[in-house]
Each structure stands twice: as structure tokens, then as C-alpha cells.
Amino acid sequence: MKNHIVAAFRLTLVMLAVTGIYLLIVYGGSKILPTKGDAEIITQNGQKFYANIGQEFKSDQYFHGRPSSVNYNAAGSGGSNKGPSNEEYLETVQKRIDTLKMQHPEMKHAKVPVELVTASGSGLDPDISEEGALYQVKKIAQVRNLPEETLRNLVKNQTEKPFLGLLGPSKVNVLKLNMALDQLK
């Protein structure tokens, strides 16, 4: 019995050390990221916005991000937990595609970017692909009475390249894009 207790105690100490080292590696690794592992807070007109949490934009004069399965509630992030073969999930995605094509009739023959009709695993993804933003340019240009080329250039300027040029896809932060859009005259 005594041997088992000593062995369990040693194993506990080893696991605490391994876990501690792992946490230090993750924490240290986060500090080399562009945001240093912290929230990216943007203040505009005295109001704070979190750039790394998805926001809902309902107006046609703004770019829209990914749908959220948690209604953009950061306190309860999570996915729908429905797989790609789930009938209910497929119906939801098809409804989103139909709605998007209704909202953008000028794009009826264009391929719908997947992130505009599917929620992320957290339901709070703040980014879309460059293609997802460009898909919305015609509609926003019409609503805001701006040249499409101006909006295309804005999207290109707001596109973030992969970290270190290797890790992850190019992406556009929807909040930052919409804030830059409001700066256009």
C-alpha cells in the first residue's frame, strides 16, 4: 500500500511539473503573437470595441461577418455541434445561402464564400476571407453611393496576411473594415 501511495505522489509531482512547463510554453508563445495574447480593444467615439470578438452588423451599408450560433454572445461561445451531414444543419446553411443571394442579387451566379453562411466553432469569429468581403462590395457600393474600386482597395488594404507569411490564411477583420469604411468620404 505504501509503495502505491509513494508512486502516486511521484506521478502527481511529475504531472504538475509537465503541466507547469506546458503552461509556460503556451504563455510564452502567446507573447510573440501580434496582440501578445491580449484582447485587441479599439476605441472610437468614446466607445470600446473588441476586435478579436465577432460583432453583428445588420445594416446594408456595412460588411457582414460570419453567422453566429450564439448570437455574438462572448460569455457563451460555442458552435452548433451539428455535423455536415445533419439535415437540420444543411437546411440552416441553405436558408443562409438563399438569404444571402436575395440580399445580393447582383451576385446570383457567383460562388458564395463558405464563411458567410457557416458559423465558426466559437460562434465569435471576427474575420472573414478577402473573397467574403469582396462578395459584399457591389451591394455596399450601391447603398453608400461609392465606387466599387474604392471599396475593393479598402478590402485589399484591410486584408491581414498570414502570421510570419506561413501560418493561417489571409483574413479581413470585419470590425476594422467597417470602421475604415466609415472613414471614407
Side-chain angles (χ1 to χ4, degrees):
M1 176 85 160
K2 184 178 178 184
N3 290 341
H4 295 297
I5 292 173
V6 171
F9 184 70
R10 285 183 188 155
L11 181 61
T12 300
L13 290 177
V14 169
M15 292 310 297
L16 283 172
V18 168
T19 304
I21 291 168
Y22 171 76
L23 290 173
L24 286 174
I25 290 170
V26 170
Y27 177 76
S30 73
K31 295 303 175 189
I32 66 168
L33 295 172
T35 61
K36 307 237 182 297
D38 297 327
E40 185 177 356
I41 300 172
I42 299 173
T43 304
Q44 187 175 38
N45 300 330
Q47 199 173 11
K48 288 185 181 181
F49 299 94
Y50 291 90
N52 41 1
I53 296 176
Q55 314 279 324
E56 183 174 25
F57 294 93
K58 293 182 179 180
S59 172
D60 285 344
Q61 65 177 331
Y62 289 108
F63 288 91
H64 295 233
R66 293 187 80 159
S68 174
S69 56
V70 294
N71 296 322
Y72 304 96
N73 178 1
S77 71
S80 69
N81 295 331
K82 295 178 181 157
S85 62
N86 181 290
E87 288 295 323
E88 185 180 336
Y89 174 74
L90 293 174
E91 286 176 22
T92 300
V93 171
Q94 188 59 53
K95 285 178 188 173
R96 289 176 182 160
I97 291 171
D98 296 341
T99 301
L100 196 63
K101 287 189 174 196
M102 250 179 20
Q103 292 171 341
H104 299 271
E106 68 282 353
M107 301 296 287
K108 68 179 176 182
H109 297 298
K111 182 180 172 188
V112 174
V114 69
E115 76 274 3
L116 295 181
V117 294
T118 58
S120 66
S122 69
L124 299 170
D125 192 350
D127 304 316
I128 58 174
S129 68
E130 185 176 358
E131 293 78 24
L134 291 173
Y135 184 89
Q136 302 175 64
V137 162
K138 285 185 183 220
K139 174 80 170 194
I140 295 168
Q142 289 172 351
V143 171
R144 287 190 176 238
N145 199 23
L146 290 169
E148 286 182 35
E149 194 58 35
T150 301
L151 293 182
R152 280 193 187 86
N153 289 334
L154 179 68
V155 168
K156 296 231 185 280
N157 291 335
Q158 290 293 317
T159 300
E160 300 172 25
K161 299 300 177 198
F163 182 63
L164 299 176
L166 300 169
L167 303 173
S170 294
K171 60 188 178 184
V172 180
N173 184 287
V174 179
L175 175 66
K176 291 178 183 177
L177 178 61
N178 284 330
M179 287 181 162
L181 179 61
D182 280 342
Q183 301 300 315
L184 292 177
K185 296 294 175 201

